[in-house]
Amino acid sequence: MSSIQKCELLPIPKIEDPRGNLSVIENNVVPFKINRVYYLYDVPAGAERGGHAHKKLQQFLIALSGSFDVILNDGKEVKTITLNKPFEGLLITSEIWRELKNFSSGAVCLVIASDVFSEDDYIREFQDFLESKV
């Protein structure tokens, strides 16, 4: 299995109720221990986020509101996934270049990460990422 194929959409349990639905994310939903949670919002029209890879960190992205595209690249294959359901998340494994684009108005992207922030874990230049794959 190629590394990009390990990046997959995973369901988030959804409890339906006429008063409003509820979804719960616990450590049995994501395949790693949750160590950091943050979210992106108020992304201006046409703006892009991401544009990096992580050496070890894994992430789980959820469109809590609105939609956006996630472009994944493992150095050999490119895959685009549109996130637009709050009861489904995208697992992004380590050593995958990611770009987030096409944010709808009011989109909110929740990111659940396997570790705390560490600048040393980032690969911020695409050429460096490609060279790390050889």
Side-chain angles (χ1 to χ4, degrees), residues 35-84:
N35 279 299
R36 184 173 184 228
V37 176
Y38 61 95
Y39 46 97
L40 307 169
Y41 60 99
D42 291 341
V43 178
E48 299 177 7
R49 299 296 310 232
H52 62 268
H54 289 281
K55 298 171 189 171
K56 295 181 181 174
L57 184 100
Q58 296 183 72
Q59 293 178 317
F60 189 64
L61 277 60
I62 305 156
L64 291 182
S65 179
S67 65
F68 51 91
D69 293 333
V70 183
I71 297 90
L72 304 172
N73 186 328
D74 67 359
K76 295 178 184 167
E77 244 182 287
V78 177
K79 181 162 89 171
T80 300
I81 297 172
T82 299
L83 293 180
N84 58 7

Side-chain angles (χ1 to χ4, degrees), residues 1-9 72-74 77 79 81 90-91 93 96:
M1 178 185 295
S2 76
S3 58
I4 204 165
Q5 291 173 336
K6 294 177 185 174
C7 297
E8 60 181 331
L9 288 171
L72 304 172
N73 186 328
D74 67 359
E77 244 182 287
K79 181 162 89 171
I81 297 172
L90 174 62
L91 173 66
T93 57
I96 298 288

